[in-house]
Amino acid sequence: MSRVVVVVGATSGIGRATARAFAERGDRLVLAARASTTLAEVRGECAAVDVLTVPTDVTEPGALDALVDAALERFGRVDVWVHTAAVMAYGRFDELPGRVFDQVVRTDLLGTAESVRVALRHFRAAGAGTVILTGSLLGHITAPYMSAYVASKWGIQGLVRTVQQELRDSPEIRLCLVNPGSVDTPVYQQAANYLGRVGRPPPPVTSPQRVARAIVDCVDRPRREVSVGRLNVVLRAGFTVLPGVYDVLVGPLMRAAGLSGRPVAAHDGSVFAPNPCGEAVRGGHLPDLRKIVFGPVSVVGAALRRRFG
């Protein structure tokens, strides 16, 4: 029997790739995101299975309750709840408008928390279910110019660990966290920007399809936390074991590999409203970043020489 899967944040990047991956398995889908026009596109991409689309803004009170109600009315149950919705903002902390910082946290952390709350309320009543969240490598390390996003992902890490402890008396309800490193999605171009340079994912960059496969695999093999990214372990170790060295290197590396040379005027991106024209599975970063793979090496050398030379 096919599962009923809710995907929150289904119109772009990891969420859109995840919707396609579950559709390929034959699972029935409830797809949620802010942009109704893009939801219709994704429904067409998953047309081989039964799909319900529900325009949903996770920051709106009651929106996620309405989402689960719609899913139950259509399918009678929910087996898997996947939350991928997120927005991003670039800027020095003191230069990023407070309203932008607050909205990123409201979307990425509080929206995720409400999603978990709604899903668990249903799964406790049903006696079983799987919740899968997308965190980030930036829930374990930090990077300059991304304070709101980093704060949110650290918050998700703490939330998940706490709820996993509380679920020890409910072994049939699983909460999994998938933590990718850099992923080739449009979130970087869609981000609010008060830094003056367009952001991009620093290499090595993985595909959203790879992250989607890890999410789908958590349904069959639930795990507390899954890391997706070749350097995740190395970066986490450097952040923890050699914090002084990490802090010397992270700024130059971020400016060399995490920001493009393209100037951009200050703007709010998709933080407050969706931009359907910019939504897609991939962001087009992989070809560009392969060309600059050796750039960060020289930056590291220069930073080390200045610090220890």
Side-chain angles (χ1 to χ4, degrees), residues 38-306:
T38 319
L39 277 173
E41 293 177 8
V42 183
R43 182 176 60 223
E45 296 167 1
C46 303
V49 299
D50 196 356
V51 180
L52 171 67
T53 58
V54 183
T56 304
D57 184 338
V58 301
T59 67
E60 290 294 327
L64 290 164
D65 287 309
L67 172 61
V68 74
D69 289 344
L72 293 175
E73 182 179 355
R74 174 69 169 267
F75 296 114
R77 71 177 200 274
V78 173
D79 302 302
V80 180
W81 188 286
V82 181
H83 188 98
T84 67
V87 293
M88 187 182 289
Y90 288 96
R92 295 180 184 274
F93 173 70
D94 56 317
E95 297 174 354
L96 187 68
R99 61 184 179 79
V100 175
F101 183 97
D102 292 352
Q103 185 69 4
V104 172
V105 173
R106 191 174 294 118
T107 302
D108 295 3
L109 177 56
L110 300 184
T112 300
E114 181 64 13
S115 202
V116 174
R117 184 180 295 114
V118 169
L120 289 184
R121 189 180 300 132
H122 170 70
F123 290 150
R124 284 197 183 277
T130 302
V131 184
I132 306 169
L133 306 181
T134 48
S136 172
L137 172 62
L138 289 176
H140 289 285
I141 67 173
T142 60
Y145 318 126
M146 303 179 71
S147 56
Y149 187 81
V150 170
S152 298
K153 293 302 182 178
W154 276 70
I156 290 171
Q157 192 73 34
L159 172 69
V160 168
R161 186 66 180 272
T162 301
V163 176
Q164 286 173 338
Q165 293 164 355
E166 295 173 354
L167 286 173
R168 288 180 63 82
D169 61 349
S170 304
E172 296 304 312
I173 301 175
R174 285 74 57 98
L175 174 58
C176 309
L177 180 63
V178 176
N179 284 329
S182 294
V183 185
D184 179 25
T185 77
V187 70
Y188 307 92
Q189 299 100 309
Q190 297 271 61
N193 199 305
Y194 286 82
L195 194 62
R197 292 171 59 186
V198 176
R200 62 186 177 193
V205 182
T206 193
S207 71
Q209 289 86 350
R210 183 182 173 196
V211 184
R213 288 194 295 271
I215 291 171
V216 171
D217 188 56
C218 281
V219 178
D220 299 321
R221 298 190 304 124
R223 284 158 289 169
R224 293 166 60 86
E225 183 174 342
V226 179
S227 179
V228 182
R230 292 191 300 276
L231 289 184
N232 288 11
V233 173
V234 174
L235 291 170
R236 287 178 60 177
F239 181 84
T240 304
V241 178
L242 299 170
V245 175
Y246 179 92
D247 287 352
V248 168
L249 299 179
V250 68
L253 282 173
M254 181 64 181
R255 290 188 288 273
L259 299 172
S260 74
R262 289 189 292 139
V264 61
H267 65 88
D268 290 343
S270 64
V271 169
F272 293 96
N275 174 25
C277 295
E279 295 182 325
V281 173
R282 287 182 178 253
H285 301 285
L286 280 167
D288 292 337
L289 289 176
R290 288 192 186 109
K291 296 177 182 178
I292 65 164
V293 68
F294 295 109
V297 176
S298 62
V299 171
V300 169
L304 286 173
R305 285 193 296 273
R306 287 195 301 270

Side-chain angles (χ1 to χ4, degrees), residues 19-31:
R20 291 178 179 180
F22 277 114
E24 290 172 0
R25 288 166 43 114
D27 292 318
R28 290 170 288 175
L29 298 175
V30 181
L31 305 180

